[in-house]
Amino acid sequence: MRGTFMLLATLLLSLPLLAQAEPAKPETKPADAKPAESKPADSAKTAVAADAKSTAKWVAIKGATIHTVSGPVLLDATILLKDTKIADVGRDISIPADAEVIDGRGKHVCPGFVAIAAKGPLGLRNSSGKEKAEHRFDPYADFMVLALANGITSAHESGGMADFGGLFGFSGSAFTGSHTGVVGGTVGKLTHGTVEGFALREPAALYLNSPVQGGGGAIAEQRDLFERAKKHRAARKAWLKELAGGKKDAAEPKTDDVCVALADAMDGDLPVFYYADNRRHIEHALGLAAEFDVPVVLHTAQEAWTVAAEVGRHARGVVLLPRGLGVRGTRPYTDLNVSAPHGWRIDTPAIMQRTGVPWAVLTLNTGISTTLLGGRDLMGLHLEAAFAVRGGATDAEALRAITLTPAEFLQVADRIGSLEPGKDADLLLMDREPLDYRAFVEKAWVNGRVAYDEDVTPLYGHIQTDRRQAPRKWKPWGIWGDLPDQKEAPPLPDGSQPPPVR
Amino acid sequence: MTPHAMDSVSRVLRLVAVLCIGGALWAQDPPPAEAAAAEPDASTTSEPQTAWFVRRAYTVSGAAVDNAVILISGDKITAVGPESSTEVPAAAKRIERRSMVVTPGFVHPAAQFFGAAERMDLSGTALKGDETMRGRLDPTVQELRQLAESGFTTVALMPSGGGVSGMISLVKPLTPARTLPDVGALVRDDQAALALAFEPGTATREFFLKTLEKARKYITDLDAFKKGKKDAPAAESKPAEVKPAEAKPAEAPKEGEKKPEEPKKEALKEPAQDPKLMPLVDALNAKMPSLLALSSAASLLHAEAIFAAEVAFKPALLFTGNPIRGGPDMWRVLPQLKRLGFTVVLSPQLSQVPFVATRRCTQVMLLDAGIPLALLPEQRSVAGLMEFRGQVLELIRHGMDSADALRAITLTPAEVLGLGGSVGSLAAGRAADLLFFDGEPFDPATKLLHVVVGGTEIHPVTVEKN
């Protein structure tokens, strides 16, 4: 009895203490994480601190399934954005009081997709390749909106048709460069509605094509390029050493742009895409890559599975079309005069994954084609990646193949491609798993700014893929949704909720 | 007989006429009853007044006046008001047009008539700030007639080309005679405003950044120089010599003043003036009106990033977007335009995006957002001038207030050219540029009956009869 009393007394005494301790907890926790933001408003006398508080824009997406890509998939987690960057990702993170909180329960968050070797989404229509993309792109381009609606937040473009001989219209399957090399292209962001924060990398890469088809002359020509680049690289090293040694009048070694670019690539400063789709071309490319130690990315390497181990040993990775190259590429014997096998396998990406070769996804039509929803163009980039899963690749690897892996190939992975603190806030809020064929993008952030909002731009907003739910309201079709007169959805005639579809 | 055949004869006649009547009216017999304003003795102190009685006068700057009388002396309006309360001098010549409605003459803010340009070209990087168009103009009788018949009484001729394109010339149409008028008589001001044109790109961006830097350097150097001048006389007590230099800083520095100064003060030389740059300097200091031609909303975003530091620079924005490509798409940048507060100059054409059933009335959206709007006729269409009023009517049908529409083709374009105090409205002291309609100006059946420029009737053409 006495013991019970003591216990009660202890409890009673400790209650106020607990009550005091309870509210103190959330106060101290954010103070540890973000000391500047959690300060009370009485510090208004310090104008600078007040300014810093009001200018920093925080956005938190709470309770979502977060596909970080670089790390695990986090269930019921929160991602916190600060201005243009990701501030924090995790299950137990503190949210500043002035943050805009978005309910992500039942939804999925993943990095924005990166379209490698694309054409169109950056709004570079009718522009010359000599001008920098960031100074001339159209942030209101229709293709940019369509690509954003399908999850693409960054793209790699050739930067003008003149740059790449093999490319025509929107039907080019890849930019194939030339055997003597082409430097150019741009990697940029789909900053719909603003010109800020566009540039990621320009020129984007060096593009080489296999000389094997061209015969001995072409092979020798390309070899000569590699040798000149090697020499130039050595000369440049010597020159830099001289400069560092105090010899200021040392002459800089000079050569052509492609040679400099290849030397840069040997230094690891510039990506190299080597177009090689069949085994002979791949083997030739790997030979050069091994001999000259160039980290090439094999482009459209659909027969890479035949030499997977060698590819893994000598190339940086491959860019693939999981669904193959189309009619001629994927189905044998459509042309009876051509007896060559096509070399495509549904499990090429899976084989690459098992061998440890990084692979990125390319669409057959590298532009935006409005023929059908989910066609083999950029509007179906995530569907193309999902096809690799059908061939045996894992979901995580397939998602990586349209986010972090292309970012790594393009050497912009320090900024985009995964959800990590410090990286750019380029991410998607999706209604389902990113690679689900029913998944749609609800919101896309680029540099922390909402570049696409399904509610504002009603492209697919009316589509209801969940039959358990009521159909969504139809809105006038058009990608010009960011209009004042379209923001308000037209009310239903009777004002009632429509009955569920059976 | 073609106008060209008459040309040599007319040159002689013209010279005589210009000498005789001071260039105001050389080839026109005064119409019998009405246009008595331009007498040879118009410049004398006791100018004869005319009183024009109309059913309604849209003053634009103020409310519409019913049963109005407009008093005109010389080429200026001296009074506008209701007939009941406006005192009409007994000596004034009375012109009765009581069935008609009068508006100010239309103002064209950026025309390319008279061979000013083939088309509006925004590409390129030229610094031609001091280039005027007087020598290049090649007026035709046809254009003069179109201008007179369509009601444009003030026309700004805009040079074409990217960069700092050159000076905008101001033209007042004369009576369309059989023979061509002298360019000198047409052009009232060949440095009315500065034209700029921008197309996004690395080269144009670098050009503008470099040019702006030069202009900015001149302005800061000049400020430093002026400050140095102000400080110097205090030490040397020479205020009498310095004051005029302060008032006119753009003039050459006085060498005599500088020599006795200390060596470090000698560094404060007046910055050299680049004549190609000076109009831009004036525009950046808001001392000269300017017009920046852009193709689309995207161009505005790129231009905004370049001109961000120039806070005093307030050009009117001429959007030349191709309606087939979805332009003019200014509705995309309403918040930016609202923040900038610049006047937007647009064609009255509606936005027609192909393959999509969306039709936007950008012009109405701009006005609804409180952005000043000036309308200009289609440049490339031959019928642009003649259809202009009909196109504005279409905007009214799409929700534009007719008073706003009238302002957008009179006073707002006048303000764009810095002429808000002289043309574009009916008030005392403004130019006597009047249009007489037989009904409401934006009624589809209304005809434009008479056009008066500077108190002189130029339409209908009466000289042809003689």
Side-chain angles (χ1 to χ4, degrees), chain A residues 125-126 130-142 192-195 477-480 482-486, chain B residues 198 200-206 296-298 301-302 305 325 329 331-334 336 353-354 356 358 360 365:
Chain A
R125 183 193 60 223
N126 295 343
K130 286 180 183 169
E131 301 250 294
K132 279 200 160 187
E134 65 173 307
H135 298 151
R136 69 192 156 94
F137 80 104
D138 180 357
Y140 296 112
D142 304 348
H192 176 58
T194 175
V195 291
W477 194 93
I479 57 175
W480 299 274
D482 41 354
L483 292 170
D485 56 342
Q486 276 199 8
Chain B
F198 171 78
T202 307
T204 48
R205 180 189 159 85
E206 276 165 11
S296 63
L301 295 195
H302 284 284
R325 268 294 332 146
D329 58 349
W331 49 263
R332 296 185 200 269
V333 282
L334 287 179
Q336 286 93 332
V353 180
V356 174
T358 0
R360 305 258 152 247
M365 292 168 83

Side-chain angles (χ1 to χ4, degrees), chain B residues 149-168:
Chain B
E149 288 174 5
S150 55
F152 283 94
T153 56
T154 306
V155 178
L157 295 178
M158 184 169 178
S160 176
V164 181
S165 331
M167 300 306 303
I168 291 173

Side-chain angles (χ1 to χ4, degrees), chain B residues 31-222:
Chain B
E34 291 165 359
E39 292 292 321
D41 60 343
S43 57
T44 55
T45 46
S46 61
E47 282 178 307
Q49 282 199 323
T50 44
W52 306 62
F53 296 89
V54 293
R55 178 156 66 82
R56 178 175 294 161
Y58 286 102
T59 61
V60 179
S61 53
V65 183
D66 281 343
N67 298 321
V69 59
I70 302 166
L71 287 175
I72 293 176
S73 174
D75 59 356
K76 292 262 181 346
I77 297 170
T78 51
V80 181
E83 194 185 340
S84 51
S85 62
T86 307
E87 199 182 317
V88 179
K93 187 177 172 66
R94 296 168 73 92
I95 301 168
E96 307 277 338
R97 286 182 175 173
R98 290 179 193 275
S99 66
M100 298 185 196
V101 175
V102 71
T103 71
F106 299 158
V107 180
H108 195 319
Q112 297 189 319
F113 307 121
F114 306 148
E118 284 279 302
R119 62 190 175 86
M120 194 65 216
D121 184 10
L122 308 185
S123 61
T125 57
L127 179 55
K128 299 190 287 191
D130 59 339
E131 205 163 282
T132 62
M133 275 187 294
R134 193 181 279 264
R136 279 193 277 149
L137 294 182
D138 179 22
T140 65
V141 171
Q142 179 72 13
E143 286 171 315
L144 273 177
R145 178 166 300 146
Q146 281 191 357
L147 272 183
E149 288 174 5
S150 55
F152 283 94
T153 56
T154 306
V155 178
L157 295 178
M158 184 169 178
S160 176
V164 181
S165 331
M167 300 306 303
I168 291 173
S169 280
L170 210 62
V171 163
K172 287 264 186 187
L174 300 174
T175 309
R178 266 190 207 149
T179 52
L180 288 167
D182 186 41
V183 172
L186 272 174
V187 176
R188 300 300 168 93
D189 182 359
D190 57 5
Q191 295 184 340
L194 179 67
L196 304 120
F198 171 78
E199 188 87 321
T202 307
T204 48
R205 180 189 159 85
E206 276 165 11
F207 164 78
F208 273 107
L209 287 177
K210 205 177 73 194
T211 311
L212 285 176
E213 195 191 326
K214 265 198 256 173
R216 186 49 49 201
K217 187 175 180 306
Y218 174 82
I219 292 167
T220 47
D221 285 359
L222 189 67

Side-chain angles (χ1 to χ4, degrees), chain A residues 156-167:
Chain A
H156 165 216
E157 287 200 23
S158 67
M161 266 191 270
D163 286 3
F164 306 101
L167 211 130

Side-chain angles (χ1 to χ4, degrees), chain A residues 341-420:
Chain A
H342 52 78
W344 173 81
R345 288 174 65 131
I346 191 172
D347 52 352
T348 303
I351 294 170
M352 291 296 118
Q353 183 182 347
R354 279 206 296 279
T355 324
V357 181
W359 56 280
V361 166
L362 190 69
T363 46
L364 180 66
N365 181 328
T366 59
I368 302 279
S369 152
T370 51
T371 47
L372 278 176
L373 173 63
R376 297 197 60 189
D377 65 335
L378 288 179
M379 296 203 286
L381 182 62
H382 60 306
L383 303 181
E384 195 77 29
F387 208 80
V389 180
R390 187 178 172 84
T394 60
D395 283 272
E397 186 79 0
L399 181 59
R400 198 185 201 280
I402 52 173
T403 53
L404 190 55
T405 309
E408 284 168 355
F409 286 173
L410 295 164
Q411 301 186 2
V412 288
D414 55 329
R415 289 189 53 192
I416 59 169
S418 62
L419 302 181
E420 293 171 67

Side-chain angles (χ1 to χ4, degrees), chain A residues 66-273:
Chain A
I66 298 181
H67 304 257
T68 60
V69 175
S70 54
V73 177
L74 305 169
L75 301 177
D76 190 18
T78 299
I79 181 161
L80 183 65
L81 317 178
K82 184 188 179 188
D83 295 331
T84 63
K85 300 279 180 189
I86 297 169
D88 213 347
V89 191
R91 283 175 58 88
D92 186 25
I93 61 174
S94 53
I95 300 169
D98 56 346
E100 178 198 346
V101 179
I102 293 164
D103 185 9
R105 280 175 300 174
K107 290 172 185 173
H108 293 256
V109 172
C110 69
F113 304 151
V114 181
I116 202 163
K119 185 161 182 65
L122 293 181
L124 301 176
R125 183 193 60 223
N126 295 343
S127 309
S128 121
K130 286 180 183 169
E131 301 250 294
K132 279 200 160 187
E134 65 173 307
H135 298 151
R136 69 192 156 94
F137 80 104
D138 180 357
Y140 296 112
D142 304 348
F143 285 3
M144 187 182 276
V145 184
L146 289 163
L148 276 166
N150 288 284
I152 295 168
T153 57
S154 298
H156 165 216
E157 287 200 23
S158 67
M161 266 191 270
D163 286 3
F164 306 101
L167 211 130
F168 47 93
F170 299 123
S171 59
S173 60
F175 35 89
T176 51
S178 93
H179 71 274
T180 49
V182 176
V183 194
T186 188
V187 188
K189 293 196 183 188
L190 279 67
T191 56
H192 176 58
T194 175
V195 291
E196 281 166 37
F198 170 86
L200 281 169
R201 183 177 193 60
E202 186 162 0
L206 168 68
Y207 311 96
L208 288 161
N209 197 347
S210 178
V212 174
Q213 257 174 332
I219 291 173
E221 224 175 334
Q222 191 175 73
R223 196 178 172 76
D224 177 56
L225 169 69
F226 274 74
E227 263 159 13
R228 280 189 293 123
K230 192 180 171 186
K231 255 186 224 159
H232 176 71
R233 190 181 171 217
R236 197 167 61 178
K237 253 186 195 161
W239 169 67
L240 288 171
K241 213 172 196 178
E242 280 182 356
L243 280 186
K247 198 176 164 189
K248 283 194 174 147
D249 54 345
E252 186 185 350
K254 285 206 165 72
T255 181
D256 59 292
D257 288 352
V258 174
C259 196
V260 172
L262 188 52
D264 288 347
M266 288 171 174
D267 285 338
D269 294 339
L270 189 75
V272 195
F273 290 94

